[in-house]
Amino acid sequence: MNIGQASQASGVSTKMIRYYEQIGLIPKADRRDSGYRDYSPSDVHMLCFIRRARDLGFAVSEINDLLGLWRDKSRHSADVMRIAKAHIERLQERARSLEAMAATLGTLVACCHGDDRPDCPILADLEEPSLIDWSGLKPSSEGALRRQP
Amino acid sequence: MNIGQASQASGVSTKMIRYYEQIGLIPKADRRDSGYRDYSPSDVHMLCFIRRARDLGFAVSEINDLLGLWRDKSRHSADVMRIAKAHIERLQERARSLEAMAATLGTLVACCHGDDRPDCPILADLEEPSLIDWSGLKPSSEGALRRQP
DNA sequence: TCTGCATCTTCCCATCGTGGGAAGGTAAAG
DNA sequence: CTTTACCTTCCCACGATGGGAAGATGCAGA
């Protein structure tokens, strides 16, 4: 199976398949005499696993852990559950952070008449806060979205 | 005012101040004879504006628009409101996407006994979906977090 | 004045996951 | 045999941020 077919079957782009190979997330693919990568059904299986984990927002490093457990037939399901639960926590925290941003901005929008006049509470408050208490929001915006350092 | 002091006063790191200058988000700072950048209180004002907009999750390109309106004394508040509302929509959509991921993963976790046994519905479903309907989740994970291309 | 330290300057590199594209080789169909 | 569709590797870009090196400058104390 060519990389393009593996891509179609798994929903992972060819660029990403090569990238995952390069960073060692997946083992080096077999090569044909031509140099073309050759994928087996079980390789595609693994790519599907990866794609679904990505769809759930797992980082590649976390998927690496999950793949290890996936391959380890003597794994403890508790280990998987721990990773999953921790990930749920992070997802929810990021969602909360986004909602807080939206709510804050909503407050400003509610105060803006939104017409032809130049007077605008949104800009005014960004300039010099009077409506909004920024103390709870400080963690620098997408900082709550970026992985913490 | 040195860049370090402007940084402290505004809460924007020196690295970021130079970066914002480099990409043209803020005008080139005045220089002293020494070559040191020199910031006025109104520069710091602008940096504060930027930081707060970042705290609200605005992308730098959006902040560019907001700064334009901020400086345009004849702006229409409706323009600002439109940008803000669109941003709220995006924030909420990303939050929803994250919550959907968390909920999906929660379903899997709820089915996992989480003990010493190797049997694990989480991995099983990543491998070969049986519990989860992935159709609503497909927009590739953080794709919902990343800016759409 | 000299010394040391803090701060500034520019420049390059890394992150993370993804896409774009060029230059060149191969497979398969017409 | 020609065309086309695919494959290969390699480099570059994004967005926003941080790290660090090498060298210049500012300021305070001896």
Side-chain angles (χ1 to χ4, degrees):
Chain A
M1 207 176 200
N2 277 346
I3 195 173
Q5 293 161 320
S7 167
Q8 268 220 306
S10 65
V12 180
S13 73
T14 59
K15 285 276 184 189
M16 282 299 103
I17 295 176
R18 295 194 193 98
Y19 172 71
Y20 292 152
E21 178 180 321
Q22 189 203 319
I23 63 173
L25 181 65
I26 58 179
K28 297 206 172 186
D30 289 343
R31 299 294 184 126
R32 281 187 261 193
D33 295 347
S34 61
Y36 282 23
R37 288 175 180 79
D38 194 16
Y39 295 92
S40 67
S42 79
D43 291 329
V44 173
H45 214 61
M46 181 168 51
L47 289 170
C48 287
F49 181 103
I50 291 170
R51 183 181 59 75
R52 280 190 281 263
R54 289 292 297 143
D55 286 350
L56 285 175
F58 284 99
V60 166
S61 60
E62 296 168 317
I63 297 178
N64 205 13
D65 298 344
L66 289 174
L67 277 175
L69 291 168
W70 187 44
R71 286 189 272 248
D72 176 8
K73 293 304 174 199
S74 69
R75 76 210 162 205
H76 296 175
S77 65
D79 293 336
V80 183
M81 189 146 110
R82 195 170 12 81
I83 292 177
K85 278 187 170 170
H87 187 55
I88 290 177
E89 274 307 305
R90 271 196 310 270
L91 290 172
Q92 287 176 338
E93 200 208 309
R94 288 196 274 168
R96 261 180 267 126
S97 170
L98 289 168
E99 273 156 12
M101 291 182 209
T104 300
L105 202 47
T107 304
L108 293 177
V109 166
C111 297
C112 180
H113 29 71
D115 56 18
D116 286 354
R117 285 172 290 170
D119 181 41
C120 178
I122 300 173
L123 292 180
D125 211 79
L126 284 170
E127 186 177 348
E128 198 75 64
S130 60
L131 294 169
I132 297 295
D133 172 21
W134 291 79
S135 57
L137 220 46
K138 292 223 173 156
S140 189
S141 89
E142 317 247 320
L145 295 179
R146 286 190 302 266
R147 322 232 148 257
Q148 311 296 353
Chain B
M1 207 177 199
N2 277 346
I3 196 174
Q5 294 161 322
S7 167
Q8 269 218 307
S10 65
V12 181
S13 74
T14 60
K15 284 274 182 190
M16 281 302 99
I17 295 177
R18 295 195 194 97
Y19 172 71
Y20 292 151
E21 177 179 323
Q22 189 203 317
I23 63 173
L25 180 64
I26 57 180
K28 297 207 172 188
D30 289 343
R31 299 295 183 125
R32 281 187 262 196
D33 294 347
S34 61
Y36 282 23
R37 287 174 179 81
D38 194 15
Y39 294 93
S40 68
S42 79
D43 292 330
V44 172
H45 214 61
M46 181 169 50
L47 288 170
C48 287
F49 181 102
I50 291 170
R51 183 181 59 74
R52 280 190 280 265
R54 289 292 298 140
D55 287 351
L56 284 176
F58 283 100
V60 165
S61 59
E62 296 166 319
I63 296 178
N64 206 12
D65 298 343
L66 289 174
L67 278 176
L69 291 168
W70 187 43
R71 286 188 273 247
D72 176 8
K73 292 306 174 197
S74 69
R75 75 210 160 206
H76 296 175
S77 65
D79 294 337
V80 183
M81 189 147 108
R82 195 168 12 81
I83 293 178
K85 277 186 171 170
H87 188 56
I88 289 177
E89 273 307 304
R90 272 197 310 269
L91 289 172
Q92 287 176 340
E93 200 209 309
R94 288 198 275 168
R96 261 180 266 123
S97 169
L98 288 168
E99 273 156 11
M101 290 182 208
T104 300
L105 203 47
T107 305
L108 293 176
V109 165
C111 297
C112 179
H113 28 71
D115 55 17
D116 287 353
R117 285 172 290 172
D119 181 41
C120 177
I122 301 173
L123 292 179
D125 210 77
L126 284 170
E127 187 179 345
E128 199 75 65
S130 60
L131 294 169
I132 298 295
D133 172 21
W134 292 78
S135 57
L137 220 45
K138 291 220 173 159
S140 192
S141 87
E142 317 246 322
L145 294 180
R146 285 188 302 266
R147 322 232 147 257
Q148 312 294 357

